[in-house]
């Protein structure tokens, strides 16, 4: 029981360290969640691009060989 006041004084720095560590972890979690959202958006966009390319390829493959086609060469 004589050691109780000392234990209370020692707990404060440990509590501050835990609080600091917890705050850092929360920041990492938020950062990671933002990165995951960004990756999900990129996946969604690339999936749309892939689907569009596949549909275009399917349409082009159905054309006869003599069909004239033009390829875009950039902004005009």
């Amino acid at each position: 029981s004589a050691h109780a006041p000392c234990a209370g004084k020692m707990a404060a720095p440990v509590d501050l360290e835990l609080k600091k560590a917890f705050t850092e972890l929360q920041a990492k979690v938020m950062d990671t969640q933002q990165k995951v959202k960004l990756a999900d958006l990129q996946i969604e966009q690339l999936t749309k691009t892939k689907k569009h390319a596949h549909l275009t390829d399917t349409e082009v493959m159905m054309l006869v060989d003599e069909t004239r086609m033009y390829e875009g060469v950039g902004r005009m």
Side-chain angles (χ1 to χ4, degrees), residues 3-70:
H3 296 294
C6 276
K9 288 180 184 175
M10 292 297 287
V14 174
D15 287 347
L16 286 174
E17 283 184 39
L18 284 174
K19 191 171 184 178
K20 183 181 175 188
F22 183 71
T23 303
E24 288 174 5
L25 277 176
Q26 279 183 316
K28 281 184 183 180
V29 166
M30 289 177 67
D31 185 49
T32 304
Q33 285 174 337
Q34 286 179 335
K35 288 178 181 177
V36 168
K37 280 184 184 178
L38 180 62
D40 285 341
L41 288 172
Q42 289 174 330
I43 289 169
E44 188 178 326
Q45 185 62 44
L46 288 170
T47 302
K48 287 179 183 178
T49 302
K50 178 183 170 189
K51 191 180 288 186
H52 184 266
H54 178 70
L55 289 171
T56 302
D57 190 46
T58 302
E59 291 293 321
V60 169
M61 295 296 274
M62 291 192 312
L63 299 173
V64 293
D65 290 341
E66 293 78 28
T67 303
R68 287 184 173 210
M69 296 189 339
Y70 300 88

